[in-house]
Amino acid sequence: MKCNSYDDFFRNFANKTKLRIIMLLKNTPMSVNELSEKMGEEQSKVSHNLAKLARCSVVAVEQQGKKRIYSLNKETVLPMLRLVEKHVKKNCDMRCKQ
Amino acid sequence: MKCNSYDDFFRNFANKTKLRIIMLLKNTPMSVNELSEKMGEEQSKVSHNLAKLARCSVVAVEQQGKKRIYSLNKETVLPMLRLVEKHVKKNCDMRCKQ
DNA sequence: ATTTCATATGAATAAGATTTCATTAGTGGT
DNA sequence: ACCACTAATGAAATCTTATTCATATGAAAT
């Protein structure tokens, strides 16, 4: 199945696990295991989440030996994050996280 | 309560009802009833959804007589929508809606 | 061909979000 | 003060999404 509506797309950012993955991939592409370890989360959980991110092209995959390296679609995601950051600074609570 | 994390913020776009409200407010500010009628949705549903949008400053409210007029925070929302539109055009399925 | 490492998948469960329905609370007019 | 109109609220029910756990699949090495 594919990402085929705006809300589908935004769901990839409306969840802490996915957002954490996104933040980690901002710096460098990683395999599922690497992510899993850095996050202290189960492999399966990370994999399920990556699947959703991938089907909306928020991340891309590339096979490298046994590993599958996931990387962020920076073209869309970075400006997106910048927008929100700005918004939050301007409008949101001091208690804002992240 | 206030919008205090990125995922909180994005949840306002990760749902068809909220997105419909946003789209309607793009053109013109409206009262709860007006939205409710245009959408063919219950007043209470619209109100609940507006409350969430408002607490993240995605919309703003202004009292006008008995009515409360909701308007879109265009500064954040318009560029956001543009980004997604572009992303969807480039990456997503032909079956893409909206 | 077998083993090992790496990841994906499916189904059941758990968690979370949205909607509904009934009710309450404001605002202005009479 | 009362009425009509407009909108907000709370709790229960429903719907959706995420997580977990067990298992399957794929890729390379031996």
Side-chain angles (χ1 to χ4, degrees):
Chain A
M1 211 203 281
K2 269 238 172 187
C3 184
N4 54 22
S5 58
Y6 284 14
D7 59 295
D8 243 28
F9 175 81
F10 281 113
R11 211 156 297 129
N12 293 299
F13 300 87
N15 160 287
K16 293 210 199 299
T17 307
K18 296 195 183 69
L19 230 31
R20 260 185 99 196
I21 294 178
I22 288 170
M23 293 308 183
L24 283 167
L25 294 179
K26 255 174 84 174
N27 308 311
T28 165
M30 271 185 248
S31 73
V32 181
N33 264 337
E34 281 181 278
L35 278 167
S36 178
E37 278 167 29
K38 299 221 182 202
M39 299 173 66
E41 301 276 12
E42 228 197 321
Q43 174 269 321
S44 162
K45 179 173 173 178
V46 175
S47 181
H48 274 298
N49 276 281
L50 282 168
K52 299 232 166 127
L53 291 169
R55 97 188 170 76
C56 287
S57 306
V58 174
V59 302
V61 210
E62 192 203 357
Q63 189 86 28
Q64 226 169 76
K66 305 186 184 182
K67 302 190 175 175
R68 314 196 82 206
I69 306 297
Y70 283 87
S71 60
L72 195 63
N73 178 343
K74 293 192 182 179
E75 192 184 340
T76 300
V77 178
L78 294 187
M80 192 117 202
L81 292 176
R82 261 182 254 121
L83 258 175
V84 182
E85 198 174 344
K86 196 175 135 204
H87 175 87
V88 161
K89 272 208 188 98
K90 196 165 183 184
N91 301 287
C92 295
D93 209 2
M94 291 299 100
R95 282 170 289 137
C96 279
K97 276 136 201 162
Q98 285 174 66
Chain B
M1 212 202 282
K2 268 240 174 187
C3 186
N4 54 20
S5 59
Y6 283 15
D7 59 294
D8 242 28
F9 175 81
F10 281 114
R11 211 156 296 127
N12 294 298
F13 300 88
N15 158 287
K16 293 210 199 297
T17 308
K18 295 195 186 65
L19 229 31
R20 260 185 99 197
I21 292 177
I22 288 170
M23 293 307 181
L24 283 168
L25 294 180
K26 256 174 84 175
N27 307 312
T28 165
M30 271 185 250
S31 73
V32 181
N33 264 336
E34 279 181 279
L35 278 167
S36 179
E37 278 167 28
K38 298 221 184 203
M39 298 172 68
E41 301 275 14
E42 229 198 322
Q43 175 269 319
S44 161
K45 179 172 174 180
V46 175
S47 182
H48 273 299
N49 277 281
L50 282 168
K52 300 230 165 129
L53 292 167
R55 98 189 169 77
C56 286
S57 306
V58 174
V59 301
V61 211
E62 193 203 355
Q63 188 87 27
Q64 227 169 76
K66 305 186 185 184
K67 302 190 173 174
R68 314 195 82 205
I69 305 299
Y70 283 87
S71 61
L72 195 63
N73 178 343
K74 293 192 181 178
E75 192 183 340
T76 299
V77 178
L78 294 187
M80 191 116 203
L81 291 176
R82 260 182 253 121
L83 258 175
V84 182
E85 197 174 346
K86 196 175 134 204
H87 175 88
V88 161
K89 272 208 187 97
K90 195 164 183 184
N91 301 286
C92 295
D93 208 4
M94 292 296 102
R95 285 171 287 135
C96 281
K97 277 137 203 165
Q98 286 173 66

